[in-house]
Amino acid sequence: MNIDPQPQPTAPPTSNDVVDLMLSVLSDGLDHPELWEIIPNLVASDSMLVPTLQRRLAEEPRAMFKDSLRILLGMCASAGGETAEVLELLAPLAARYSQSLMVQGALFHLEGKLDPENPRYALADKVCLKPFVELDVLENSAHLCCASWLPTSVGNLRGGDWQRVWNGETAQAIRASVLDGSYRYCNKRTCPFIQSGNLPTRTELEADVKWAEVVKTGQTHMAHGPEEVNLAYDRTCNLSCPSCRTERYAADDATRATYAEMQERAILPMMANAKTVFITGSGDPFASKNFRRLMEQLTAEDYPELKFIIMTNGMLFTPRQWEAFPALHGRVQSLRISLDAATGPTHELLRRGARWETMLQNMKFAGELKAAGLVDDYMLTFTVQQENYREMGDLLDLADEVGASTCYFGRITNWGTFSQDEYARKAVFVPGHAEYDAFLEATRDPRLRDAKVWPSDLDEFFKAAA
């Protein structure tokens, strides 16, 4: 006679097991708000959790794992009411891991605990539409938003099928993370849409004919291609700005041939559903032979609903260049000239190879195009860093001088061109920086209250100053 053995009771997990599980969850590098939410309960039910984390921190030799353990200890301390102190202690991690979704997400969670009424932190009922309408095409990757705000790649159009990239497994997982409110793939402290607190609510979108079914059914596979396409694969540029690259770059013949093949095979067909095309955040459109050819091909006859967003450093944006591209005339939704300064010396420091007098001439020409209605919006963009933050207010005066209609301000991002120490020196907006208080004072400049200011991911500073 066979007697089934009785099931043996399972031993409860030890504190060490819990720490291992938490580190395993964090190992994918994504944000995990569900973990931050349950840590108070774990602390309350396990008196040995904090001592175990402290012991593991003392024993751990790897820097990133040590910082993960520090964040977990910080979350435990926050559960005991020490959130402000924890944020101050963890502040240096903001610059050290400027593009870590886990680190930035943890800091975002702690900030939200200190400011629970702020709509910026109420993401559970908000739906960002960017991953449902946008595809950014980089040199070796593609993203459903700016790679600085949503760094996880959904694929590669170089040799890849754009439909499979657009609706692939990763793309659908990103959309699902927006619909479930976790936003785990997003850099929440740099995304200007999250920081503004103005994302649409589920209720608003459920009342919208276009989006009701997507939101109600949790749809992550999109029936149509992207409406907004950001082309940033050719790094060819006539300048070598320190924030972007260490030396001047121009694509060679083989690389240009690869781009040309991708444009014919994937980019042009994908543009059939697009309403806007952004050229380019990777270099300068007028320095790139591939982008110049593309701007010639995207005619009003073949793409009647398409509008352009043109980003240029301005040095090549002359009347002669403008006349060479009739496809742009009357179809530029936004003309953006990147400056990072409001004075000649600072501009030439941060824009290696630029000449201020040439810039002034070309910026005034852009203003004439805006006044004539040939471009809808004319924007000056300003990447805030240690060398230029004192000129933020001056940019508004310059905008008036050259006829610009918008002034964009954003934090400098470390694209791999800086060491951690170099970036920490430049990131003047991080608490603990030697000039942080002076930066806060600069944000109080009354000129920055002008309606033409777009504060992007510096919105919290500009609002606090106001």
Side-chain angles (χ1 to χ4, degrees):
M1 181 174 62
N2 293 326
I3 301 177
D4 293 333
Q6 294 297 313
Q8 298 298 311
T10 303
T14 67
S15 301
N16 215 47
D17 294 333
V18 173
V19 172
D20 283 338
L21 180 59
M22 291 193 293
L23 289 175
S24 176
V25 168
L26 298 181
S27 65
D28 61 9
L30 303 179
D31 184 21
H32 287 279
E34 70 281 359
L35 175 58
W36 314 139
E37 291 289 347
I38 67 170
I39 283 179
N41 292 332
L42 295 176
V43 173
S45 63
D46 185 352
S47 62
M48 290 304 296
L49 181 60
V50 171
T52 301
L53 284 166
Q54 292 170 333
R55 174 180 58 79
R56 294 282 293 269
L57 176 61
E59 296 172 351
E60 178 58 60
R62 294 163 294 183
M64 185 60 197
F65 279 86
K66 289 180 81 72
D67 286 330
S68 296
L69 289 163
R70 288 190 179 99
I71 287 172
L72 291 172
L73 276 167
M75 291 296 180
C76 293
S78 175
E82 301 175 30
T83 304
E85 295 83 352
V86 169
L87 264 174
E88 184 175 353
L89 287 172
L90 295 181
L93 299 184
R96 190 181 308 165
Y97 301 108
S98 62
Q99 292 197 287
S100 166
L101 305 181
M102 183 271 287
V103 171
Q104 300 298 326
L107 297 175
F108 181 86
H109 176 81
L110 292 170
E111 290 170 340
K113 291 187 68 175
L114 289 179
D115 193 8
E117 301 302 318
N118 192 324
R120 175 187 306 146
Y121 304 105
L123 291 178
D125 191 44
K126 302 284 185 66
V127 180
C128 177
L129 295 177
K130 280 289 184 180
F132 299 86
V133 299
E134 180 174 332
L135 186 68
D136 291 15
V137 185
L138 276 61
E139 190 173 9
N140 294 301
S141 63
H143 303 256
L144 298 185
C145 188
C146 171
S148 179
W149 310 330
L150 204 166
T152 301
S153 171
V154 296
N156 188 350
L157 263 64
R158 290 177 68 170
D161 180 270
W162 74 262
Q163 291 97 333
R164 292 184 180 179
V165 171
W166 175 239
N167 276 318
E169 182 178 345
T170 303
Q172 294 197 55
I174 290 171
R175 294 180 187 126
S177 76
V178 171
L179 292 171
D180 68 24
S182 69
Y183 288 76
R184 67 181 75 258
Y185 290 90
C186 300
N187 192 330
K188 296 171 180 173
R189 296 179 77 248
T190 62
C191 169
F193 305 102
I194 291 176
Q195 288 294 310
S196 72
N198 294 324
L199 289 173
T201 66
R202 296 181 66 89
T203 302
E204 291 169 341
L205 293 175
E206 286 174 358
D208 186 317
V209 174
K210 181 178 179 179
W211 295 107
E213 184 179 358
V214 172
V215 175
K216 289 179 180 178
T217 64
Q219 180 181 321
T220 59
H221 185 282
M222 307 311 296
H224 302 288
E227 296 179 14
E228 303 170 12
V229 177
N230 181 354
L231 302 180
Y233 46 85
D234 188 352
R235 295 185 298 113
T236 298
C237 191
N238 52 309
L239 303 182
S240 60
C241 307
S243 59
C244 181
R245 61 197 68 201
T246 57
E247 59 186 4
R248 189 173 296 182
Y249 172 83
D252 57 25
D253 290 344
T255 303
R256 288 200 300 270
T258 299
Y259 293 153
E261 186 277 332
M262 181 177 69
Q263 288 177 184
E264 295 294 331
R265 172 183 49 79
I267 300 298
L268 288 172
M270 183 174 67
M271 299 302 296
N273 188 66
K275 301 297 186 293
T276 61
V277 58
F278 187 141
I279 311 175
T280 171
S282 57
D284 192 274
F286 301 103
S288 163
K289 292 182 178 180
N290 289 94
F291 285 142
R292 291 172 69 91
R293 173 60 179 154
L294 192 67
M295 289 188 291
E296 293 172 345
Q297 291 176 293
L298 295 173
T299 63
E301 291 74 23
D302 293 333
Y303 301 87
E305 297 184 11
L306 187 67
K307 287 275 206 170
F308 290 85
I309 299 173
I310 299 295
M311 170 75 88
T312 172
N313 60 52
M315 283 295 293
L316 300 177
F317 191 75
T318 63
R320 180 178 179 181
Q321 289 289 348
W322 174 256
E323 291 304 319
F325 296 96
L328 298 180
H329 297 186
R331 299 173 71 209
V332 177
Q333 183 184 95
S334 180
L335 171 62
R336 304 177 181 183
I337 295 181
S338 54
L339 282 177
D340 297 353
T343 65
T346 305
H347 181 75
E348 292 180 4
L349 171 69
L350 297 177
R351 296 273 161 174
R352 283 190 301 242
R355 294 294 176 265
W356 187 243
E357 290 304 317
T358 301
M359 287 297 302
L360 286 175
Q361 293 174 16
N362 293 350
M363 287 190 289
K364 289 175 180 177
F365 169 64
E368 293 170 5
L369 295 178
K370 173 67 175 69
L374 293 173
V375 302
D376 298 339
D377 178 64
Y378 169 26
M379 177 187 295
L380 302 181
T381 74
F382 189 105
T383 301
V384 175
Q385 51 199 289
Q386 188 271 338
E387 291 87 349
N388 68 7
Y389 71 92
R390 298 180 189 276
E391 297 181 14
M392 291 189 295
D394 297 334
L395 189 71
L396 276 298
D397 294 337
L398 178 64
D400 290 340
E401 178 184 346
V402 300
S405 48
T406 308
C407 293
Y408 170 95
F409 296 92
R411 309 182 196 203
I412 190 171
T413 297
N414 189 0
W415 295 109
T417 53
F418 304 119
S419 68
Q420 288 184 352
D421 288 342
E422 287 171 336
Y423 181 73
R425 179 189 64 78
K426 296 180 79 69
V428 68
F429 40 78
V430 173
H433 190 285
E435 297 182 46
Y436 180 70
D437 290 341
F439 162 72
L440 293 181
E441 182 60 32
T443 65
R444 299 186 186 104
D445 190 317
R447 291 174 293 182
L448 296 176
R449 310 286 84 79
D450 194 292
K452 63 168 60 78
V453 169
W454 179 10
S456 182
D457 56 6
L458 291 168
D459 184 70
E460 61 178 300
F461 298 105
F462 283 41
K463 283 182 177 177

